[in-house]
Amino acid sequence: MKPLSKNIIIALIGVLAVSALFSSMSLSTAKPETVSIAQLAQQVEQGSVSQTDIEGSEITVTLKDGTIQKSRKDVSVALEELLSQYGLDAEEIRNANITVKDRSTRSYLLGVILPSVLPLLLLIVIFYFMIRQMQGANNRALSFGMSGAREIKDTKQKVTFTDVAGSKEAKEELQEVVEFLKNPKKFADLGAKLPKGLLMMGRPGTGKTLMARAVAGEAGVPFFHMSGSEFVEMFVGVGASRVRDLFTRAKKAAPCIVFIDEIDAVGRQRGAGLGGSHDEREQTLNQILVEMDGFDPNIGVIVVAATNRPDVLDPALLRPGRFDRRVVLDLPDINEREEILNIHAKGKPLMEEVNLRRVAERTPGFSGADLMNLLNESAIRAARFNRTSVSQEDVLDSIEKVLLGPERKSFVMSAEEKKVTAYHEAGHALVARMLPNADPVHKVSIISRGSAGGYTLKLPSEDRRLHKRAEFMDDMAVMLGGFVSEKETFGDVTTGASDDLRKCTRLARELVTRYGMSENLGPQVFGEAQELVFLGREIHEQKNYSEKTAEAIDAEVKSFVSSAMEVARGIIQKEKAYLDKIAGVLLEKETIEKEEFAALFAS
């Protein structure tokens, strides 16, 4: 229901309520009996009148039995004179106790003026609200094309570069922009021009928006921020109008910073939409391109944008003169993860046993948002167990919760399923232990988490950017360790290895088609991945090779998988005693930590 309709209904209900009130008042005042002056004179003569009150032309008679009657007379004629005309003497009239009252203003308002004026006032109020709603609709229509960008000013929760851990190179680039805004003369003396745009790229959760807030805190200049999706509306031309309004406001406040979050919402490559050049998103992008580097220069306005999909942005948006600089925010390394953990640990009471360095070692591949969520889950777990501080156990358990999901305590396995799961995870752990290029085993468990019946937690000893072929081969052998262990121990396999087989096959295909690690096919890349976005997300591979080559690729993938399986089978057959020992401990304790796992091989 629209606000205007609601106001009209409320006003009508008010009118009905007031009408009902006055109706009840009028009903209550109509109850006494009305008598004529002759009847009143007769009652006075009989001595049955106790009190007579006169107020204007109205006469209220109270009889000795308590009955109240009403009568009327001319205002200009006294009641005593009227009664004397009916033959009553002065003594009889005096016994009637006649009292004359001045008519009060209140009764006059309630009786005469208010019933006639109040409906008129209510109608005026209704028309006032109607006109106000119409003016509000007109104002919204006029402001439809305005940007609605929020301007950040000094707040108590100001974020600076000291509140952002890691990303040293990104902070250096942004610090240079901040200094440019604070002291432009130093750069202008050397002929340097203010950069027009700065694009922050990185995976989700790496801190792009947080870094933009830090820029706002450091710059000390007006900072406008807006999401890319806020430009696009159903009506064509609204997005372009909002872009113009945004840059008009920014030019008036120059020097300033304009931050556009998730710019890929409007900055996707042109020509890919269903509406052609009349697509609203493309109109908005065209206006952004013109505002950033067109005939009308926007001096003193720096555009900072963030995206995790730089590959889909239009080339015209990325050229120098628009986004002159690109800042990459990558996943943090072990030292940066420790710094991030120290920042998010502020305000959380940690026990002395909590070793954030060890936590950083166990969280490779975690982004800043993941680490923040990790410590938050740790605090929630400590509160759930009614503790006043967070322990190391809380933090380590939260790592597995973030990676795999919560423990499924209600999931009860049968004795046979538990034994199969124990040997399956023991196979993974044993193969990982014996291969030199596999990551060290930190934990083995047969407690269900998420969709996994059990898990083997392997973590690298150091952060690596480059990976060797031998590492991939050992990883595939570890993936197939559970499958081979089931087959060697029970003579059959289960569906528990389906995810391992999928990952192993995909890795083998990437070795052949992406990394050029196949000796038979050589250093070539086969196929180009294309993303088709239409009613969903679909990854399509464009073939740039023949069917004969496709058969050779399939053969190489099968060769890689078979080779990894033979390696895993050889280890499990040779070290069967260790396999049984690991599985036995898992069946007894359900979980084996890193130190206990290493002790099994020391004895």
Side-chain angles (χ1 to χ4, degrees):
M1 185 180 292
K2 296 182 179 179
L4 182 60
S5 302
K6 289 183 179 179
N7 291 332
I8 294 175
I9 291 174
I10 292 173
L12 290 175
I13 292 174
V15 171
L16 293 175
V18 173
S19 301
L21 176 63
F22 281 103
S23 298
S24 62
M25 291 175 61
S26 62
L27 287 175
S28 62
T29 57
K31 287 182 181 179
E33 180 186 358
T34 301
V35 296
S36 64
I37 297 296
Q39 291 174 319
L40 176 58
Q42 184 179 1
Q43 290 174 343
V44 171
E45 185 180 5
Q46 295 173 355
S48 58
V49 176
S50 173
Q51 179 70 31
T52 306
D53 297 321
I54 302 173
E55 185 176 355
S57 62
E58 294 183 0
I59 303 172
T60 303
V61 180
T62 304
L63 302 181
K64 291 183 178 180
D65 60 358
T67 305
I68 297 175
Q69 296 177 338
K70 291 286 186 178
S71 183
R72 298 184 69 86
K73 69 176 186 63
D74 191 353
V75 179
S76 60
V77 181
L79 180 61
E80 292 85 346
E81 184 179 350
L82 292 174
L83 293 177
S84 63
Q85 293 176 2
Y86 284 96
L88 297 180
D89 57 22
E91 183 64 24
E92 291 174 331
I93 295 174
R94 190 164 45 251
N95 291 335
N97 297 322
I98 300 173
T99 304
V100 180
K101 296 182 179 179
D102 293 334
R103 186 165 190 181
S104 64
T105 305
R106 179 183 175 187
S107 61
Y108 180 72
L109 288 174
L110 291 175
V112 179
I113 299 178
L114 198 59
S116 59
V117 174
L118 187 61
L120 180 61
L121 292 175
L122 289 175
L123 288 174
I124 292 174
V125 171
I126 292 174
F127 280 112
Y128 171 75
F129 278 110
M130 291 176 63
I131 293 172
R132 189 175 178 182
Q133 290 289 337
M134 293 172 63
Q135 289 177 345
N138 291 332
N139 291 334
R140 285 193 296 271
L142 293 175
S143 64
F144 196 63
M146 294 184 179
S147 65
R150 279 80 63 193
E151 182 177 357
I152 293 181
K153 299 180 180 179
D154 292 336
T155 59
K156 295 181 180 179
Q157 298 181 343
K158 184 170 69 174
V159 178
T160 62
F161 286 141
T162 57
D163 300 315
V164 182
S167 305
K168 295 179 181 179
E169 295 80 6
K171 284 194 284 189
E172 288 176 2
E173 288 281 342
L174 294 170
Q175 182 64 51
E176 192 173 301
V177 172
V178 171
E179 189 176 352
F180 213 129
L181 290 169
K182 288 183 176 180
N183 188 13
K185 186 177 182 303
K186 181 175 71 172
F187 296 89
D189 292 342
L190 297 173
K193 295 182 180 180
L194 192 70
K196 293 186 177 181
L198 191 146
L199 182 65
M200 292 193 293
M201 305 179 296
R203 301 184 187 184
T206 50
K208 299 183 293 297
T209 305
L210 181 64
M211 194 70 76
R213 290 181 61 191
V215 172
E218 293 279 350
V221 297
F223 186 92
F224 300 91
H225 71 100
M226 193 170 180
S227 172
S229 60
E230 294 181 54
F231 290 110
V232 182
E233 287 282 353
M234 179 178 65
F235 304 104
V236 175
V238 172
S241 175
R242 290 180 177 177
V243 172
R244 287 191 294 270
D245 179 70
L246 172 62
F247 278 89
T248 300
R249 291 176 58 190
K251 289 174 186 177
K252 291 179 181 178
C256 67
I257 296 175
V258 174
F259 176 62
I260 304 176
D261 200 5
E262 303 295 345
I263 194 172
D264 52 278
V266 292
R268 284 177 175 265
Q269 187 169 358
R270 290 170 292 179
L274 298 178
S277 61
H278 296 288
D279 181 30
E280 166 64 3
R281 180 185 54 78
E282 293 191 7
Q283 297 279 14
T284 306
L285 174 59
N286 291 338
Q287 190 63 43
I288 292 176
L289 297 177
V290 172
E291 292 290 344
M292 290 190 68
D293 190 22
F295 278 100
D296 186 16
N298 52 345
I299 300 173
V301 179
I302 296 180
V303 181
V304 180
T307 180
N308 51 28
R309 294 297 312 277
D311 54 306
V312 302
L313 295 180
D314 193 89
L317 196 63
L318 300 176
R319 74 161 176 82
R322 292 202 172 108
F323 283 104
D324 303 278
R325 300 187 178 191
R326 304 179 193 178
V327 178
V328 178
L329 281 78
D330 211 342
L331 293 174
D333 58 24
I334 184 170
N335 295 321
E336 293 173 339
R337 290 198 297 272
E338 186 178 5
E339 293 176 10
I340 294 172
L341 288 169
N342 282 317
I343 289 178
H344 292 303
K346 294 178 181 178
K348 296 180 175 64
L350 303 180
M351 293 184 180
E352 294 183 0
E353 65 177 11
V354 177
N355 187 346
L356 294 180
R357 180 69 182 186
R358 184 182 175 191
V359 176
E361 292 173 353
R362 299 189 71 162
T363 52
F366 273 47
S367 65
D370 292 330
L371 295 172
M372 180 183 68
N373 184 37
L374 165 64
L375 289 183
N376 185 58
E377 290 288 346
S378 305
I380 292 174
R381 187 179 189 274
R384 191 168 67 245
F385 288 101
N386 298 320
R387 288 195 292 269
T388 57
S389 55
V390 180
S391 66
Q392 184 81 355
E393 182 185 358
D394 294 327
V395 181
L396 297 181
D397 182 79
S398 298
I399 294 175
E400 298 165 25
K401 184 177 182 180
V402 173
L403 285 172
L404 302 170
E407 289 185 4
R408 297 168 59 193
K409 296 181 180 179
S410 60
F411 180 73
V412 180
M413 291 187 292
S414 64
E416 182 181 357
E417 288 180 337
K418 192 173 182 180
K419 186 175 182 181
V420 171
T421 304
Y423 272 94
H424 181 99
E425 298 303 330
H428 286 307
L430 178 61
V431 176
R433 169 76 183 185
M434 296 301 173
L435 291 177
N437 297 302
D439 295 329
V441 176
H442 281 248
K443 186 175 183 179
V444 189
S445 177
I446 58 173
I447 298 176
S448 299
R449 279 187 178 273
S451 59
Y455 58 95
T456 300
L457 187 61
K458 302 188 294 88
L459 298 172
S461 55
E462 60 182 7
D463 293 317
R464 293 192 295 266
R465 302 287 181 181
L466 302 175
H467 298 273
K468 299 181 292 184
R469 182 177 183 273
E471 294 175 4
F472 288 130
M473 296 301 297
D474 286 0
D475 283 343
M476 286 193 294
V478 174
M479 292 176 189
L480 296 174
F483 178 84
V484 174
S485 176
E486 290 184 24
K487 193 170 184 180
E488 292 293 324
T489 305
F490 303 102
D492 201 356
V493 293
T494 65
T495 57
S498 58
D499 189 57
D500 298 327
L501 296 176
R502 180 180 60 83
K503 291 180 179 178
C504 181
T505 305
R506 184 175 61 187
L507 178 56
R509 186 167 293 276
E510 288 180 347
L511 293 181
V512 177
T513 59
R514 288 184 58 192
Y515 304 135
M517 293 183 177
S518 170
E519 295 181 357
N520 293 331
L521 295 177
Q524 298 183 61
V525 175
F526 300 95
E528 296 181 2
Q530 293 182 339
E531 183 177 348
L532 302 179
V533 183
F534 179 72
L535 300 180
R537 184 167 181 256
E538 179 184 358
I539 303 298
H540 175 72
E541 183 187 61
Q542 180 182 1
K543 284 190 175 183
N544 56 1
Y545 49 87
S546 64
E547 292 298 326
K548 184 177 180 181
T549 304
E551 293 179 1
I553 291 173
D554 292 339
E556 280 297 292
V557 171
K558 183 178 180 180
S559 174
F560 274 118
V561 175
S562 299
S563 177
M565 184 174 291
E566 290 302 319
V567 172
R569 181 179 288 111
I571 293 173
I572 288 175
Q573 289 178 348
K574 182 180 179 181
E575 308 294 344
K576 188 67 167 59
Y578 283 121
L579 180 69
D580 294 334
K581 185 185 293 187
I582 298 170
V585 176
L586 284 174
L587 289 171
E588 180 184 354
K589 298 183 176 180
E590 294 186 336
T591 299
I592 305 176
E593 291 290 345
K594 178 181 179 181
E595 294 77 11
E596 187 179 359
F597 181 75
L600 294 177
F601 293 88
S603 59

